[in-house]
Amino acid sequence: MNGVRVFIRIIIVLSLLLIISGCWSSREIEDLSVYVGLGIDVARETRFEKDIASKGGSYSKENNVTTTVQIAPGNSSSQKSQQSGSPASGKTSYSNEQLTGDSMLQIFRQFALRRDRPLIGHHLKVIVISKEISKKYGLDQLLDFVLRDNDIRPNCLVLVSHDRAEDVLTSQDPSQIPAFYLTGITKNSYLTSKMLQPMTLAKLDAKIQSGASFLLQNVLSYDGEDKFSGASIYDGKKTKFIGELSQTDLEGLAWVLLQKSGGVLKTYNKKGFTVVYEMKDKKTKIIPKVKGDEISFHVQVESKGWMMEDWSAPEREEKGAYLKELESDFSDMAEQQIRQVLYKLQHTYKVDVGDFAEIFRIKYPRKWKEIEKDWDKIFSTVPITYEVKINIINPGSSTE
């Protein structure tokens, strides 16, 4: 009897092994070209493309865009590629390869004609789009293939290059992969209000589909080094580049946006010494009002933080009145930053890239349906008042 039970158990286990699915269609990673970065620029054919075309190796296309594909690791299987690595060892941390055309899909399929390993985009980390190409074409056009391609994950980061995207995806450090480096910088957003919250491909697609104007993080490049600085403004209807905000503008916008962020304020006291406040907490409340056909907003901001630097070293007995004076100075400075960025958004670019539309839609859904198509135009004329209250809750341990 026991033998029969053991036999039945063995049969059950063997049956389970037969129905458990395995990686029947798996492909070894060594046989693939995993691209982790994608750059999109105004067309500029490489020497390789020009020479091959002169020999009859071209196909029917217009030179509209140049695509840079960053492959990691960098042991490229094409005969030649633009690489960064150690010349002595021949090993590379990544390789950049470029092709030019008028269809992203065709460009990607052209790589199959010059590589013995197919491109795979499952691990794409960052897409860098040059400012110049996004003046000519809408992001809905440039990213149409990317948004349709199921290989590319929706959590991919999207950035805008002030110059060429290929420069942002190039590093002088042989051990550094630019795509990973750029995504790593976004993790510092909690430390500063000069950086936008990461814009993923999924969030960008939602912005494009909604027709709302939006911001993308700017990245500057010089001699193989990158820096996040400011943001690019995109019109919601055409999804094209229309202008930029500076680092200071982003600081002002951060006070208005509902999400929390870090940041510092610097001022000079009456004696001319540097004093710095670091934000530890921020609460923003946007209050929309409708009176007849007139719309207005009032923004209330309250921030708590530490005085992290004071070159004047005030005496202990002066600290109470001195801190109150600094709180007033910092509040005035924050309001000045808000005033500056709102003026640009309402009068220079005439777009809403803050949280005003969403707050209004939630509180006045019926009114929103009447005006949503012309919201940017209406927003440019809407009165916005604001007040900022700064509380220094810690003057610093060294002065205790």
Side-chain angles (χ1 to χ4, degrees), residues 17 26 102 117 138 190 195 202 274 298 367 381:
L17 290 175
S26 65
D102 56 4
R117 300 175 184 177
Y190 73 98
M195 185 190 305
T274 299
H298 181 66
K367 185 67 175 178
T381 64

Side-chain angles (χ1 to χ4, degrees), residues 311-355:
W311 287 33
S312 64
E315 296 296 332
R316 186 182 300 272
E317 58 269 18
E318 298 177 357
K319 197 176 295 181
Y322 180 67
L323 291 183
K324 291 295 182 183
E325 181 182 320
L326 289 177
E327 287 176 345
S328 178
D329 290 344
F330 286 128
S331 297
D332 290 343
M333 179 169 291
E335 289 182 4
Q336 182 181 347
Q337 290 178 343
I338 295 173
R339 187 181 307 112
Q340 175 180 314
V341 70
L342 287 182
Y343 183 87
K344 281 190 177 182
L345 295 179
Q346 289 191 290
H347 302 292
T348 304
Y349 301 118
K350 299 182 179 181
V351 292
D352 173 21
V353 291
D355 295 316

Side-chain angles (χ1 to χ4, degrees), residues 197-268:
Q197 293 294 315
M199 177 68 82
T200 63
L201 196 59
K203 290 180 182 178
L204 179 59
D205 186 29
K207 290 288 187 182
I208 292 174
Q209 296 300 325
S210 69
S213 299
F214 56 90
L215 294 173
L216 289 178
Q217 179 68 56
N218 269 355
V219 56
L220 310 182
S221 178
Y222 174 74
D223 196 25
E225 294 188 28
D226 301 326
K227 178 185 178 181
F228 284 11
S229 181
S232 292
I233 305 173
Y234 285 83
D235 174 75
K237 295 180 179 178
K238 297 180 180 180
T239 68
K240 290 185 178 181
F241 174 93
I242 60 171
E244 291 180 310
L245 296 180
S246 67
Q247 291 186 40
T248 303
D249 293 331
L250 287 186
E251 285 184 298
L253 187 61
W255 293 110
V256 177
L257 296 176
L258 299 181
Q259 72 250 24
K260 293 183 179 181
S261 64
V264 299
L265 281 174
K266 181 182 69 176
T267 188
Y268 302 95

Side-chain angles (χ1 to χ4, degrees), residues 7-46:
F7 178 75
I8 292 174
R9 289 175 181 176
I10 293 173
I11 294 297
I12 292 173
V13 170
L14 292 175
S15 300
L16 289 173
L17 290 175
L18 290 174
I19 64 175
I20 291 176
S21 61
C23 298
W24 303 108
S25 59
S26 65
R27 292 180 289 178
E28 296 296 331
I29 194 168
E30 292 84 358
D31 298 330
L32 302 172
S33 290
V34 179
Y35 66 95
V36 295
L38 176 63
I40 304 176
D41 281 306
V42 172
R44 189 167 73 186
E45 284 189 305
T46 62

Side-chain angles (χ1 to χ4, degrees), residues 124-262:
L124 180 62
K125 300 296 183 184
V126 62
I127 299 173
V128 183
I129 304 167
S130 75
K131 178 178 69 175
E132 293 304 317
I133 191 69
S134 60
K135 286 180 181 179
K136 297 180 64 176
Y137 304 101
L139 295 187
D140 56 342
Q141 296 172 300
L142 295 172
L143 298 178
D144 186 66
F145 162 70
V146 174
L147 292 170
R148 292 173 186 267
D149 188 4
N150 290 330
D151 278 352
I152 297 175
R153 295 177 180 177
N155 62 349
C156 171
L157 178 67
V158 183
L159 300 172
V160 174
S161 170
H162 197 270
D163 297 305
R164 290 190 67 81
E166 63 180 283
D167 295 334
V168 173
L169 293 173
T170 302
S171 173
Q172 299 298 328
D173 184 351
S175 64
Q176 178 177 282
I177 300 177
F180 295 161
Y181 177 78
L182 291 169
T183 55
I185 293 178
T186 62
K187 297 177 183 178
N188 300 328
S189 60
Y190 73 98
L191 293 172
T192 176
S193 55
K194 296 181 179 181
M195 185 190 305
L196 291 177
Q197 293 294 315
M199 177 68 82
T200 63
L201 196 59
K203 290 180 182 178
L204 179 59
D205 186 29
K207 290 288 187 182
I208 292 174
Q209 296 300 325
S210 69
S213 299
F214 56 90
L215 294 173
L216 289 178
Q217 179 68 56
N218 269 355
V219 56
L220 310 182
S221 178
Y222 174 74
D223 196 25
E225 294 188 28
D226 301 326
K227 178 185 178 181
F228 284 11
S229 181
S232 292
I233 305 173
Y234 285 83
D235 174 75
K237 295 180 179 178
K238 297 180 180 180
T239 68
K240 290 185 178 181
F241 174 93
I242 60 171
E244 291 180 310
L245 296 180
S246 67
Q247 291 186 40
T248 303
D249 293 331
L250 287 186
E251 285 184 298
L253 187 61
W255 293 110
V256 177
L257 296 176
L258 299 181
Q259 72 250 24
K260 293 183 179 181
S261 64

